[in-house]
Amino acid sequence: LISRSLSITMPLFKKKPSHETQIISDNKEETSHSSYDRMEDVEKSTQEIKKPRVLTKKEKRMRRKLDGICWWMDDCCKIPGTDIRFGIDPIMGLFPVVGDVGSYLVSLYFVYRASPMLSRYTISRMMINCWIDCAF
């Protein structure tokens, strides 16, 4: 909506102002940016926004599967009478080694599924986060 309104108002600013304000500070003269220049910067920044990629059927199925696992791990249970939700991840955390390893394996599965779309740096950061979560 914002970019649409900017494209509608941009024709009003096609001509640059004939004079520019000069600011004198510390015995230096600087030219201030006109409103037209600022509008050009806004227009350039709105053009750089990328449209989201459309998912294939296989990717949609995988996304639904991962969302389901995420729901079970984080939100499957609700405390009656409140809006507080929790999943099986904190329950698994009650068991000293088995719970941590199980949570670690689920996290590794998410990293494995995300790896084709991410850089090696991002994958390594995710792996370190998984390891820290398991270790502590």
Side-chain angles (χ1 to χ4, degrees):
L1 182 64
I2 293 173
S3 62
R4 185 176 176 197
S5 65
L6 287 177
S7 65
I8 293 171
T9 58
M10 278 306 292
L12 298 176
F13 295 103
K14 284 296 180 191
K15 294 182 180 179
K16 283 192 174 185
S18 59
H19 66 284
E20 293 184 358
T21 309
Q22 293 185 352
I23 301 170
I24 301 173
S25 63
D26 297 333
N27 296 328
K28 296 180 182 176
E29 293 185 357
E30 298 176 1
T31 306
S32 68
H33 296 288
S34 66
S35 61
Y36 176 78
D37 293 334
R38 281 181 257 149
M39 291 298 288
E40 269 185 0
D41 292 340
V42 169
E43 184 180 5
K44 286 178 187 175
S45 66
T46 56
Q47 290 173 352
E48 294 173 1
I49 297 173
K50 295 180 181 178
K51 293 182 180 179
R53 186 174 64 87
V54 178
L55 299 176
T56 63
K57 288 183 180 183
K58 185 177 179 181
E59 290 172 334
K60 285 180 184 178
R61 266 187 279 132
M62 183 53 62
R63 176 69 187 254
R64 280 196 306 270
K65 184 177 181 178
L66 293 176
D67 283 343
I69 294 171
C70 200
W71 182 80
W72 277 104
M73 293 298 285
D74 297 330
D75 293 329
C76 67
C77 303
K78 181 180 177 184
I79 297 176
T82 66
D83 290 334
I84 299 172
R85 301 189 69 84
F86 62 95
I88 60 173
D89 189 34
I91 296 170
M92 286 173 35
L94 294 174
F95 302 102
V97 176
V98 177
D100 292 332
V101 171
S103 179
Y104 177 69
L105 292 175
V106 172
S107 299
L108 283 181
Y109 180 71
F110 274 88
V111 173
Y112 169 73
R113 286 299 177 183
S115 62
M117 297 174 274
L118 301 174
S119 67
R120 288 182 181 168
Y121 176 73
T122 304
I123 294 169
S124 63
R125 286 179 49 197
M126 290 172 72
M127 292 294 293
I128 290 170
N129 286 338
C130 292
W131 182 80
I132 290 172
D133 184 42
C134 181
F136 299 106

